Amino acid sequence: MDKTQMSQRLFAVFFCFASYLFLAGCQGSSDDSQLPESYETYSSDGISISYPQHWSFSYDDSPSLYSSRGISFSVSELSGVSVLVESDQETTTKDILDGFLSRLNIDRDPMLKELERESVEISGNEGEVLRWVDTLVDRSDRELTVVKVYDQPMDVYAVFNLTDDDIETVKPHMPKFVERIILK
């Protein structure tokens, strides 16, 4: 792989991780003792989202790259959490996850190993998680989790795109984040 291809690949991976990020295989209830005392709230155009204060708001775009509307929060340089709103067509968690697989070539890239896909439940919402190891630069664990939060009046998904240490540090926040996505 030449430098240009590697740079393009890193940019694509970074963009997707920073933009639409998403859920570790978290099941069960949250442990409030691991959550920060303060959450911030982002509200705009019919949606309110509470998120841990150490995450930073990135953008609210309509349309976004992957849906009618995307609202994104940065967790770290390569990890992000997004809310995808699809008001133009009916979608499923499988549709969203398959779209990421296709766009990122996760299932066809020889640098990505140990691909696993399984069902998860977060705060009573069903979803799916993809786990893999990226060996492009160094060994890096990755997880992409998509959870359907609403299906009426529009499809709304929480997407956790996480890498390495962020997988464990974000996990306790996933249930609260999903619960605090409110349509107005």
Side-chain angles (χ1 to χ4, degrees), residues 30-70:
S30 65
D31 179 359
D32 285 345
S33 66
Q34 296 180 0
L35 296 175
E37 291 182 17
S38 179
Y39 268 56
E40 308 241 345
T41 300
Y42 173 79
S43 290
S44 178
D45 204 18
I47 194 165
S48 175
I49 304 166
S50 294
Y51 60 96
Q53 65 183 0
H54 62 278
W55 296 0
S56 60
F57 173 77
S58 296
Y59 62 83
D60 183 346
D61 287 341
S62 295
S64 74
L65 185 60
Y66 297 105
S67 62
S68 301
R69 181 179 180 190

Side-chain angles (χ1 to χ4, degrees), residues 112-180:
L112 306 179
K113 313 282 186 193
E114 303 174 32
L115 180 66
E116 299 175 1
R117 184 173 183 162
E118 68 181 356
S119 298
V120 295
E121 183 179 309
I122 298 173
S123 294
N125 298 284
E126 294 187 12
E128 290 188 60
V129 61
L130 281 178
R131 293 183 184 91
W132 69 94
V133 175
D134 190 337
T135 61
L136 178 64
V137 176
D138 213 353
R139 181 183 168 87
S140 179
D141 294 326
R142 308 282 188 184
E143 288 192 6
L144 176 65
T145 306
V146 177
V147 177
K148 192 165 199 172
V149 182
Y150 292 100
D151 59 7
Q152 293 295 325
M154 61 197 82
D155 294 335
V156 178
Y157 297 89
V159 182
F160 299 80
N161 194 346
L162 306 171
T163 183
D164 296 322
D165 293 341
D166 293 327
I167 293 168
E168 291 307 314
T169 59
V170 170
K171 193 178 288 189
H173 299 287
M174 291 177 171
K176 292 289 184 194
F177 180 81
V178 168
E179 293 166 9
R180 294 175 181 189

